Amino acid sequence: MTKKQRSWERRLAAQPDALTVDYVESLSYDTRLYKYDIVGSIAHAGMLAEQKLITRAEFKAIKSGLIEISEEIEAGRFSFDKVCEDIHMAIEAALIKKIGEPGEKLHTARSRNDQVATDVRLWLRDEIEALQGKIGLLQEALVVLAERHAEDLMPAYTHLQRAQPIVIGAYVLSFAEQLERDSRRLGNCRQLLNVSPLGSGAIAGSTLPIDRENTARQLGFADVAYNSIDAVSDRDFCAEFIFDCSLLGAHLSRLAEDWILFSSNEFDFIRIDDAFCTSSSMMPQKRNPDVLELMRGKTGSLYGALMAMLTILKGQPSGYNRDLQEDKIHLFGAADTTRASLDMTRAVVSHTAFKTEHIAAGLRQGFLDATALAEYLVRKGVPFRKAHGVVGALVTLCEKQGLELSQLSLQTFKEHAPAVESDVYECLGAANVVRHYVSHGAAGPQQTKRQIAYWKKHLAQR
Ligand code: ARG
C-alpha cells in the first residue's frame, strides 16, 4: 500500500516507520471480524442512502463491492497488507480500489472507533450462541453418562475424605448444573452487549443527519447505545465474557481434577479411552490424562486473559484509546480456548467408563453410612446432636475392632442408644443409604432419575 492509499494519514509528513507498522497492526488477528465488518458497512451504507447522504446507485455499488470482497476473503483470494493496520481499513481500501469514489463515501459519519465496537459486538453475539450450543452438547453427554449410572454407587467426598454414598449419576449431573449457569451467564452477557454503538463516530457523534435506530434495527441490535462517549470506549462486555469463560473454565477444571484423581491407580474409579490419553517418552507403562491436565492449565490462561482485559481498561482516559485494540487478543483467545475445552470435555465424557464393580467393592470403607445412622436415631426420637455423638463413639469402636457399622450386634447398638431396633440394619450399608435419600436434590437414585428426566426435556427444548 502506498502513502496515497493510507488516505487517512494525509496529515502526516512521513511514511510510518516499519517498526510502527508492525507495532500498530491488528490485521494479523482481527481478520476474523471481516464478515461482521462487511455486514455493518452494508447496514451503514444503506442508512446513508435512506438519509440521502449518498445516492441509491452509490449504495448499490458499495454493497456489491463489499459482497465481492467478502467472497474473495472467504475463498482466500484477498491479499491482506498489514500497512492497512486492521481489517476495517483493509476492506475499505479494497472497496475504494474496486469501485472508486462511492467507496470513499462509506466512512461518512463513521469512525473506526464505533466501527470496531460494532463489529466486536456482532462477532461476540454469534460466538456466545456457538458456545451455548457446545455447552448443550456437553450437557447431553453428561446426561447420557448419568443415565448409565443412575443406580450405581460411589463415595462422595468432602475435604477429599469419604463422606456419604451417592449414585454416580448424581455426581455427573452436578456438572450439568454448573454448565447451565455458565450458559445463562453467557446469555445475560449477550443481552447486555446487544446495543449498537454504530453512529457514535469517533467520540461525539456526527453533525450529519444519520439514523442510528435504522442501522441498529438492520443489525439486529435491541437498542442503540445512548451516549457516544461511552459507546466507543465500552468494553465491559469483553471483560464480562472473559469472566464467563473463566468461570466455565473453573468448572471444567474441577471436573478435570476429579477425573485425573479418579483415573489414578490409587482411586481407579474410571478408565478414559486410550484415544484421549497420552503416554510417556520414557516410562512404557504410562497412560497419562494429559488432556485433562491441559484443561486445568488452560483455565489458568483464561484467568490470565481476564486479568489482562481488566488491566487494559483500568488506566485509560475517557473515550477511545488504542489500548483497546488489545482487547481482541484476549477476547479471541478466551473464546478459542473455551470452545476447544468444551469440545474436548465432551469427547472425554463420552469415552470414559466408570469401574462400577471396583467402586462398589470399596464402599465398605470409610463409614459412609454414619450420617444415615445418626438420622435413623433422629427418627427414633434422639436429638441430632446426641445421635451425632453416639455414632461418633460407635465409629471409634468399629475402628478399634476392624468392623463396619453394619457388623455391630443389636446389643452393642442398644448399649449406646436404647432406641435402636432391629430395623437399624435396613439403613446401614451404602446401597441402603442411597435408597433412603428423600430430600429434593439429594444424590440418590430417585432424585437422579428425576433430574435426568428434567435435563432430557430441557435440553430437547433448546
Ligand atoms: N484496530 C483498531 C481497534 O481494534 C481499530 C480502531 C482504530 N481507531 C483509531 N482511532 N486509531 O481498536
Side-chain angles (χ1 to χ4, degrees), residues 24 26 29-30 85-88 111-113 116 235 320-322 324-328:
V24 303
S26 56
Y29 53 88
D30 68 11
E85 289 194 5
D86 54 31
I87 188 64
H88 324 290
S111 155
R112 265 187 295 169
N113 300 353
V116 70
R235 297 291 185 281
Y320 177 89
N321 300 275
R322 197 63 176 263
L324 290 176
Q325 179 164 289
E326 292 281 306
D327 62 356
K328 283 168 286 299

Side-chain angles (χ1 to χ4, degrees), residues 173-307:
L173 288 182
S174 72
F175 292 102
E177 292 287 343
Q178 296 172 49
L179 288 161
E180 187 63 18
R181 290 194 297 277
D182 293 323
S183 184
R184 285 205 227 160
R185 243 187 303 277
L186 285 166
N188 289 341
C189 177
R190 191 184 184 286
Q191 206 179 339
L192 270 179
L193 72 80
N194 197 27
V195 294
S196 174
L198 194 57
S200 297
I203 184 163
S206 174
T207 59
L208 295 167
I210 54 170
D211 181 353
R212 293 189 54 211
E213 279 76 12
N214 175 321
T215 45
R217 218 178 311 114
Q218 289 191 65
L219 295 170
F221 284 114
D223 206 347
V224 295
Y226 294 156
N227 180 295
S228 64
I229 304 165
D230 175 49
V232 291
S233 58
D234 171 23
R235 297 291 185 281
D236 292 3
F237 62 97
C238 297
E240 210 181 327
F241 172 76
I242 302 172
F243 171 78
D244 294 351
C245 291
S246 296
L247 205 49
L248 200 167
H251 297 148
L252 299 183
S253 187
R254 293 186 75 179
L255 182 146
E257 173 65 9
D258 277 358
W259 288 23
I260 289 164
L261 287 170
F262 288 177
S263 65
S264 68
N265 275 328
E266 282 65 22
F267 274 83
D268 202 22
F269 280 10
I270 58 171
R271 185 175 172 90
I272 303 166
D273 194 283
D274 275 353
F276 303 98
C277 292
T278 50
S279 196
S280 157
S281 60
M282 184 174 177
M283 299 169 285
Q285 85 284 12
K286 294 280 276 183
R287 285 176 89 255
N288 290 333
D290 289 31
V291 157
L292 296 170
E293 292 161 42
L294 278 164
M295 199 175 292
R296 201 171 52 185
K298 282 174 192 290
T299 298
S301 302
L302 289 173
Y303 293 4
L306 176 61
M307 208 38 69

